[in-house]
Structure formats: structure tokens, C-alpha cells
Amino acid sequence: MARIISDLWKRFLAENIVGKYIYANVAVFVLFALLDVFATLFNITSPALYLKMWLELPSAPMHFIVQPWSLVTYMFLHAGLMHILWNMLALYWFGKLFLSYFSTRHFIGVYLLGGIVGGLFFMLAYNIFPMFTDSGANGYLVGASAAVLAVVTATATRVPNQRINLLLFGEVRLVTVAVVTVVASLLLLTSENAGGSFAHLGGAFAGWLFAYYLNKGRDLTSMITKFADYIVALCGKLFNWAKKPKMHLHKGKRSNDYEYNAQKKEQSAEVDRILEKLKKNGYASLSDEEKKRLFDASK
């Protein structure tokens, strides 16, 4: 098991930024799925349920205040196998295309920016529109869809006429994919997943805004990537501190130190005497005991 984890970690480190994000999303999904499996086998409440409560994005402002980190963590959670499958496939296809026209740091920033703006759209919709407030609905958001759509629309804004091959549809322009996705999200604003559709629109808007201002020489993701650098550096320091061997103090009589030092000094003097004898008279002049001491000292 340890070897499998080690191999996966090496593959993770060898991947580009898109692969690393896919690995992270899949790892979280598998972990939560395993927790659910063990909980079902032992007929207990799954720990994943409590973890999700603190990591998914709530629509209620009072709930969000006590878990503000959920504005980032929610985009690494998924509701089911098909949910994460389609998100990761889209991230893989469009992420590679994104890196052809933008940098790795831009990808980090756009992914997080899209997820954050999508989350804000979700919360605003739930607290502004009567469709949600009148019914007293209290929703929760999970999934990387908003982040992925930010990547898609940013790329489509930079190279709208770039053609890609889609299964069942053949060759289409990238801008067509982005427009169809946005229109579909608009049409689904009153569906069962209305909150998710608002998040999709927020992510798409963030991606377009990033590409638009980048063309004017302004990078909207610079603050996000700087903060991400700070978090990574902080985690690195904590990891190195945890790995650093700690000093252990051993209590004992002070005379033990003197005895030890005296013994080492005596041994060193004896070795010097043997070496001097070896230099003057040769190896054959040494006794068996002297040869043994010289051999032990050389080790």
C-alpha cells in the first residue's frame, strides 16, 4: 500500500498543473467514497458527512461566516461519479488548451478565481431572488464546474476561432462551446440545480473578465497567485519543521560527561601512539592488540 501511495505521489509531482488539479480532485473524491464505504459496512454515520458540512459552500450568510474557507474548498468536492467524471474530462481537454496560450500561474489563478466568483454568484442568487428566499431554501454548493468554465471561457476569449473536435458534434469553434454552455446555464436558472447554474455563469464571467483585462495588460489573478504562493510556502515550512529531528535531553550525572570525554581522549592518544610506531618500524612491528585497535579506529 505504501508503495502504491509513493508511486502515485511521484506521478502527481511529474504532472503539469492541470494534472495536479485533476489528481487533487480525484483524491478527495476517493477519500470521501472510502469513508462512506467503511461507514456503511459498520452501519455508522459516515465521517465524510461531517467533513462535507464544513467544506461545502452554504448559501446562508450566517453559515458562511463560520466557514469562509468553503468558498475555495467546495470546488474540490463532487456529488457523484458522473459529476466528477465530466468535470475532470472537461478540465483535462480545455486545461491543456489553456496552457497553450496562458501560463501555469494563470491557470492556478483562473481556476480559483472562477470557483470563487461562481460561489459568490451562488450565494447572491440564494439571498436575492424570491424564488429561493420565499421558499426558505438553504442550499449547498459543491463541484469544480465554475472553475472549469472559467478556464473554458478564458481560452475562448483569447482564441475564439480555435477549432476542437467534440464527440458526436465533430469540429466546432471554441467560442461556440463557451456560448452554448452559457446559454444552457441561463436556461437552467429555474431548474432543480438552479444554484449550480448561477455558479456556472459566475465562473464563465470570471474567465471572460480575466482574458479581457489581460489583453489590456492587467492580470486579475495576480493577488490570488501571490496568496497561493504564501500558503504553499507556509505549508512547506510546517512540513520541514515536522520532519526536523527534535532535540532530546537525557538527564544524568554530570560526571558521566567528564568520564566519557576522558575515555575518548585516552583512546585518541593510544591511536596516535600506534600510528607513530607504524611510521617508524612498519606494520609488522605492531602487536595483535595494536592492529585490532588501529582497525577499529579506521572504521
Side-chain angles (χ1 to χ4, degrees):
M1 185 64 181
R3 184 175 180 180
I4 294 175
I5 295 175
S6 176
D7 289 343
L8 288 174
W9 178 248
K10 289 178 181 178
R11 292 184 181 182
F12 170 80
L13 295 176
E15 287 287 347
N16 61 17
I17 190 62
V18 175
K20 284 182 171 64
Y21 271 57
I22 292 174
Y23 264 91
N25 277 278
V26 172
V28 172
F29 180 80
V30 171
L31 174 62
F32 276 65
L34 289 175
L35 289 175
D36 287 338
V37 168
F38 284 116
T40 302
L41 290 174
F42 289 98
N43 197 25
I44 59 175
T45 302
S46 174
L49 180 63
Y50 300 108
L51 287 173
K52 285 179 181 178
M53 289 174 59
W54 287 100
L55 298 178
E56 61 191 2
L57 181 64
S59 62
M62 295 306 296
H63 292 172
F64 174 71
I65 289 175
V66 298
Q67 54 184 88
W69 56 82
S70 61
L71 191 58
V72 173
T73 56
Y74 89 89
M75 64 184 84
F76 293 92
L77 302 176
H78 288 85
L81 181 60
M82 296 307 297
H83 189 201
I84 189 173
L85 177 62
W86 287 114
N87 276 343
M88 293 304 101
L89 285 175
L91 185 60
Y92 175 75
W93 291 328
F94 295 105
K96 291 201 303 181
L97 193 58
F98 179 96
L99 292 179
S100 299
Y101 301 98
F102 300 99
S103 69
T104 294
R105 290 181 65 80
H106 285 148
F107 180 87
I108 296 172
V110 170
Y111 186 96
L112 295 175
L113 179 66
I116 290 171
V117 175
L120 293 175
F121 268 50
F122 162 78
M123 287 194 292
L124 286 173
Y126 259 82
N127 291 278
I128 291 177
F129 294 108
M131 180 180 74
F132 301 109
T133 56
D134 290 349
S135 62
N138 188 22
Y140 291 89
L141 183 67
V142 295
S145 301
V148 173
L149 280 175
V151 172
V152 174
T153 53
T155 312
T157 304
R158 171 61 68 91
V159 283
N161 294 320
Q162 172 72 42
R163 293 187 173 274
I164 59 174
N165 286 310
L166 291 181
L167 186 66
L168 302 179
F169 296 98
E171 192 177 82
V172 296
R173 292 194 305 161
L174 189 55
V175 67
T176 303
V177 176
V179 170
V180 169
T181 304
V182 170
V183 171
S185 297
L186 285 169
L187 295 176
L188 294 172
L189 287 181
T190 56
S191 67
E192 185 177 346
N193 187 33
S197 296
F198 276 103
H200 296 168
L201 292 176
F205 175 70
W208 172 81
L209 207 62
F210 158 78
Y212 175 80
Y213 276 101
L214 192 66
N215 287 336
K216 295 181 177 295
R218 184 180 177 187
D219 185 1
L220 298 181
T221 65
S222 58
M223 290 297 295
I224 294 177
T225 50
K226 287 179 181 177
F227 183 72
D229 289 341
Y230 170 77
I231 295 298
V232 170
L234 180 61
C235 291
K237 289 180 180 179
L238 292 174
F239 180 74
N240 290 334
W241 176 83
K243 287 181 62 179
K244 187 177 180 180
K246 305 298 185 296
M247 181 181 294
H248 298 284
L249 298 177
H250 298 279
K251 294 182 179 180
K253 295 181 179 180
R254 190 172 181 81
S255 60
N256 290 342
D257 292 334
Y258 295 133
E259 292 172 3
Y260 174 79
N261 291 332
Q263 184 181 7
K264 293 296 290 184
K265 186 176 181 179
E266 182 182 348
Q267 291 174 350
S268 179
E270 177 65 11
V271 171
D272 289 341
R273 184 191 65 79
I274 296 173
L275 289 173
E276 185 65 24
K277 183 178 179 181
L278 174 66
K279 181 179 179 181
K280 290 182 178 180
N281 304 318
Y283 186 76
S285 65
L286 301 182
S287 66
D288 291 340
E289 180 64 24
E290 288 173 333
K291 292 177 181 178
K292 182 178 184 304
R293 288 192 177 186
L294 187 62
F295 177 74
D296 292 338
S298 68
K299 292 192 297 182

